[in-house]
Amino acid sequence: MTAEERKVIFASSAGTVFEWYDFYLYGSLAVIIGAKFFTQFDETTRNIFALLAFAAGFLVRPFGALVFGRLGDLVGRKYTFLITILIMGVSTFLVGILPTADSIGLLAPTILIILRLLQGLALGGEYGGAATYVAEHAPQGRRGFYTSWIQTTATLGLFLSLLVILMVRSMLGEEAFADWGWRIPFLISVVLLGISVWIRMQLQESPAFKRMKEEGTGSKAPLSEAFGQWRYAKFAIIALFGLTAGQAVVWYTGQFYALFFLQSILKVDGYSANLLIAWSLLIGTVGFVFFGWLSDKVGRKPIILLGCLLAALTYFPLFKMLTQTANPTLAAAQASAPVTVVADPARCSFQFNPVGTAKFTTSCDIAKALLARNAVNYTVEAAPPGTIASVKIGDQTIQAFDAERAGADAAALGEQFTADVTAALVAQGYPAPGDPNIVKLDHPFDIFDGRTFMVVLILTVLVIYVTMVYGPIAAALVELFPTRIRYTAMSLPYHIGNGWFGGLLPATAFAMIAWRGDIYFGLWYPIIIAAATVVIGVLFVPETKDRDIFADDARS
């Protein structure tokens, strides 16, 4: 690797790390942000809505891919880089100074979502440009290795965000951090923005793009050529369903959903959960480069699809092991003390609220939401129409209430119902808040205790799956398309896969848990998509590791 090639990889990767840092701050702080900006909703709806605001940034990523991909194919890779990172950095800084809902009401979540959308648009244009830029500098036979450094950026950006959050949390304490300290990581991004812009200014334009512009062989309409001509559109479709959809759900399950599961389901405190994920990322990140290098030897397709297959086959046992290790009291109670909700099925809703305006006020919904918040598995027993729902815990039966019928007494009844159910759960062996058996880290190097080390090991296995599917993906996508439309064509399937299939995973899985009464039921979402990707990939995805990515340029 020459000095110039190292500079290209470092400059592209460093800027992208900072951009991912900006984007993932929200995900790492979703619980706190939900409490600050969605206070007008009940806790279950607040959690779902906060996660959907996180997902909003992912939903617009394909549109960013179209806008900035077209710009990158028409104007150049370098200047598109600068635009995307400026949009990302400014949007993130503004989140840090945005007043909460207590100050400006509904305007607060509205502005927050707008800023998330701007972040998503910027990120939609970032990844394809970085991957394309590095791939066009890589020698034949080493594209997997060169582009694998770009693949580390998302995880390193997440790791950096977790590290900054942990440091600020440690310095301020949990109370001050939850009150105002959560803003500091967002405000720090303005420093990273300055560094990123300076680094990007040192880059020269891609030699392949410069040559294409000099020879006049560039595309005048990259969007219509990439997706309006079947010879290229078919590869975009194959790439989406045979590569990026499965890669996306494995990526988000192994990192973000694992973090959400630790905090919201297993009740691991925020400091410990972030630290556990950070250690697994630190250990596993080398896998991105290893599997990128290996894909130059054995191919992109077998490594990506094997990662999807292993994930689909092992997610259930791995997450059950995670429960047994991180919160053994909960695991034991689920096995020994089953819980039943007795309710009229017609009065039970699927508690997925994408716009945050629905009110779940029936006795069945109130009972199920409370149990879901407490990570309690339960079954539903049908009762005659009109029956007020009740919860059976051991030999106790606790009646819920209809909030609409209760009127002004609903708040008091809700507090009493919560207290009664919590007491009954604790009496049956479910963990009380702050249970000492829940895994907890007192300092960053407190990971060599047997249970804590086992949790890190399980999380590292999940991260290794991530590196298998993600390490070779940039090279695989770049090699499907010619230079004149590469930025546009590879960006769209990547961001639909990651932005839609991956970005909606946390909110969808949480709603599935609340609906079914099973803390593992949400795993069916990534398992089914990963398994479908394996089948489609085996049948339709071509192997491209030996392809000359500039051959089609000479013929155009």
Side-chain angles (χ1 to χ4, degrees):
M1 188 182 293
T2 67
E4 181 62 26
E5 289 168 343
R6 283 195 295 271
K7 177 182 175 182
V8 164
I9 291 174
F10 173 76
S12 300
S13 300
T16 308
V17 166
F18 297 149
E19 193 148 357
W20 281 109
Y21 164 86
D22 288 351
F23 192 74
Y24 283 136
L25 277 180
Y26 182 97
S28 301
L29 297 172
V31 174
I32 291 176
I33 288 176
K36 293 293 182 182
F37 291 92
F38 302 104
T39 53
Q40 61 269 49
F41 307 118
D42 64 85
E43 186 174 350
T44 300
T45 303
R46 182 190 308 163
N47 285 339
I48 293 175
F49 201 26
L51 288 170
L52 282 166
F54 175 57
F58 292 91
L59 293 175
V60 299
R61 278 170 57 178
F63 302 102
L66 292 175
V67 172
F68 294 109
R70 178 179 180 275
L71 189 65
D73 281 329
L74 290 174
V75 178
R77 297 17 174 160
K78 173 184 174 179
Y79 295 105
T80 307
F81 273 172
L82 293 172
I83 294 171
T84 58
I85 207 162
L86 281 168
I87 294 174
M88 177 67 78
V90 171
S91 299
T92 303
F93 177 76
L94 291 176
V95 171
I97 62 174
L98 180 63
T100 64
D102 289 339
S103 300
I104 58 174
L106 284 173
L107 194 58
T110 302
I111 296 174
L112 178 70
I113 291 173
I114 290 172
L115 294 174
R116 287 292 301 162
L117 294 176
L118 288 173
Q119 287 182 323
L121 287 171
L123 192 58
E126 168 66 22
Y127 175 83
T132 298
Y133 187 80
V134 172
E136 290 177 351
H137 281 84
Q140 181 70 14
R142 303 202 72 194
R143 276 188 300 274
F145 175 64
Y146 277 48
T147 57
S148 68
W149 293 96
I150 293 294
Q151 301 311 98
T152 68
T153 60
T155 295
L156 291 175
L158 172 58
F159 179 80
L160 181 62
S161 70
L162 294 178
L163 187 63
V164 171
I165 289 168
L166 287 169
M167 290 175 60
V168 176
R169 262 190 159 124
S170 299
M171 293 170 61
L172 299 180
E174 286 296 318
E175 185 176 346
F177 183 82
D179 183 26
W180 58 270
W182 62 271
R183 295 182 180 275
I184 294 175
F186 289 94
L187 299 176
I188 289 174
S189 68
V190 75
V191 178
L192 301 180
L193 172 63
I195 296 171
S196 302
V197 171
W198 180 80
I199 290 174
R200 289 281 168 89
M201 291 295 292
Q202 311 306 307
L203 295 176
Q204 300 298 317
E205 187 52 81
S206 158
F209 182 83
K210 287 168 64 176
R211 183 171 62 251
M212 181 186 70
K213 294 295 285 185
E214 290 167 0
E215 295 172 354
T217 57
S219 175
K220 294 180 173 58
L223 287 178
S224 59
E225 185 174 353
F227 308 116
Q229 297 182 19
W230 179 243
R231 62 173 176 158
Y232 298 128
K234 68 180 179 182
F235 286 117
I237 295 170
I238 289 170
L240 172 59
F241 294 105
L243 291 173
T244 62
Q247 167 261 303
V249 296
V250 172
W251 203 101
Y252 287 100
T253 302
Q255 297 185 135
F256 266 104
Y257 188 68
L259 178 61
F260 171 77
F261 192 84
L262 284 171
Q263 290 184 269
S264 297
I265 305 299
L266 302 186
K267 308 305 179 184
V268 177
D269 68 274
Y271 176 83
S272 298
N274 281 279
L275 200 52
L276 290 165
I277 292 291
W279 271 110
S280 69
L281 295 177
L282 185 63
I283 296 168
T285 293
V286 67
F288 290 112
V289 177
F290 171 75
F291 287 113
W293 168 83
L294 186 62
S295 75
D296 286 330
K297 312 299 181 184
V298 303
R300 328 299 186 200
K301 175 177 171 177
I303 296 174
I304 294 171
L305 298 185
L306 179 61
C308 289
L309 180 62
L310 289 173
L313 293 175
T314 62
Y315 271 165
F316 277 121
L318 285 173
F319 275 84
K320 288 179 180 179
M321 286 174 60
L322 196 60
T323 301
Q324 292 163 359
T325 309
N327 193 339
T329 307
L330 175 62
Q334 288 173 341
S336 63
V339 175
T340 303
V341 174
V342 182
D344 173 8
R347 301 285 288 167
C348 300
S349 306
F350 179 62
Q351 298 187 44
F352 184 75
N353 186 15
V355 295
T357 56
K359 299 293 183 182
F360 301 110
T361 59
T362 68
S363 58
C364 177
D365 290 343
I366 290 170
K368 290 172 70 174
L370 177 60
L371 293 174
R373 289 197 299 271
N374 285 277
V376 176
N377 286 351
Y378 58 86
T379 57
V380 179
E381 181 182 313
T387 300
I388 297 295
S390 59
V391 179
K392 290 183 179 179
I393 306 170
D395 58 358
Q396 293 191 57
T397 298
I398 304 165
Q399 191 173 63
F401 64 98
D402 275 313
E404 290 183 353
R405 296 179 186 177
D409 296 329
L413 289 173
E415 291 178 6
Q416 186 61 53
F417 179 61
T418 299
D420 291 344
V421 169
T422 301
L425 289 171
V426 172
Q428 290 297 314
Y430 281 87
D435 188 290
N437 287 319
I438 300 175
V439 70
K440 181 177 176 61
L441 280 73
D442 295 319
H443 56 79
F445 294 96
D446 190 18
I447 64 164
F448 299 105
D449 167 79
R451 285 200 303 127
T452 307
F453 185 77
M454 189 63 185
V455 171
V456 173
L457 186 62
I458 295 167
L459 295 173
T460 301
V461 172
L462 297 176
V463 172
I464 289 172
Y465 294 163
V466 171
T467 65
M468 290 181 71
V469 300
Y470 202 59
I473 196 74
L477 294 174
V478 163
E479 290 162 350
L480 288 173
F481 305 101
T483 303
R484 65 184 180 277
I485 60 167
R486 183 170 295 129
Y487 198 149
T488 302
M490 73 158 288
S491 295
L492 188 62
Y494 174 83
H495 286 293
I496 290 178
N498 285 270
W500 293 359
F501 287 94
L504 287 174
L505 189 152
T508 304
F510 183 84
M512 290 171 69
I513 291 169
W515 170 58
R516 189 60 178 259
D518 180 352
I519 65 172
Y520 305 110
F521 190 70
L523 292 172
W524 279 113
Y525 178 89
I527 286 172
I528 290 172
I529 293 174
T533 293
V534 172
V535 174
I536 296 168
V538 167
L539 294 176
F540 299 108
V541 172
E543 181 52 64
T544 59
K545 75 178 181 70
D546 297 320
R547 183 173 292 182
D548 180 357
I549 64 172
F550 305 116
D552 194 54
D553 300 344
R555 294 194 298 267
S556 60

